[in-house]
Amino acid sequence: MTPFGARLRALRAERGVALKDLAAALQVSAAYLSALEHGRRGQPSAGLVHQVNEFFGLIWDDAEELARLARQSHPRVVLETGGLSPEATALANRLARDFRRLTPDAITNIEAALDKLPKERR
């Protein structure tokens, strides 16, 4: 499940909206929405996120949060390590190999380490 999919499912549950009813309102198939919720489809378009925000009446922070979750919801991530150190390439390959075995605590620890990195200059 992706972050967007989890939030979409939670919104539906909180508001008592059936998958087929949301799909009809958004003019997409129920199969597509189910695939989004379960992480079997790529991240949703900005247009679909906007439609979901409108359907549920989300505004300001809640709408921006849903858009942020959508941007973080591509289920197939590719890491480009060209030009990086051999250690970076080895780490990327190890993460790819062992990712499904990470525990929730390990994920939290990795996120905490990443949060300590200096902010990237644009």
Side-chain angles (χ1 to χ4, degrees), residues 17-35:
V17 177
L19 186 73
K20 67 178 178 60
D21 295 332
L22 179 59
L26 301 178
Q27 297 181 336
V28 298
S29 72
Y32 174 71
L33 280 186
S34 177

Side-chain angles (χ1 to χ4, degrees), residues 15 27 30 32 43 59 65 73 95 109 112:
R15 313 278 174 97
Q27 297 181 336
Y32 174 71
Q43 66 190 70
I59 56 171
E65 175 68 4
S73 290
L95 279 171
N109 290 337

Side-chain angles (χ1 to χ4, degrees), residues 16 20 25 32 44 46 54 64 74 84 86 88 94-95 99 102 105:
K20 67 178 178 60
Y32 174 71
E54 284 189 345
E64 179 52 39
H74 199 293
L84 298 179
R94 184 169 182 196
L95 279 171
F99 193 76
L102 291 176
D105 284 343

Side-chain angles (χ1 to χ4, degrees), residues 20-105:
K20 67 178 178 60
D21 295 332
L22 179 59
L26 301 178
Q27 297 181 336
V28 298
S29 72
Y32 174 71
L33 280 186
S34 177
L36 272 177
E37 285 189 0
H38 289 92
R40 292 188 303 270
R41 290 298 299 246
Q43 66 190 70
S45 69
L48 183 71
V49 174
H50 179 73
Q51 286 180 285
V52 171
N53 283 333
E54 284 189 345
F55 180 87
F56 288 112
L58 303 181
I59 56 171
W60 304 103
D61 291 344
D62 292 332
E64 179 52 39
E65 175 68 4
L66 191 64
R68 184 186 67 78
L69 293 174
R71 290 189 300 272
Q72 295 178 340
S73 290
H74 199 293
R76 187 174 186 104
V77 178
V78 176
L79 294 176
E80 174 59 53
T81 63
L84 298 179
S85 70
E87 295 82 8
T89 299
L91 175 60
N93 279 275
R94 184 169 182 196
L95 279 171
R97 183 187 69 232
D98 295 336
F99 193 76
R100 289 186 180 272
R101 296 181 12 214
L102 291 176
T103 65
D105 284 343

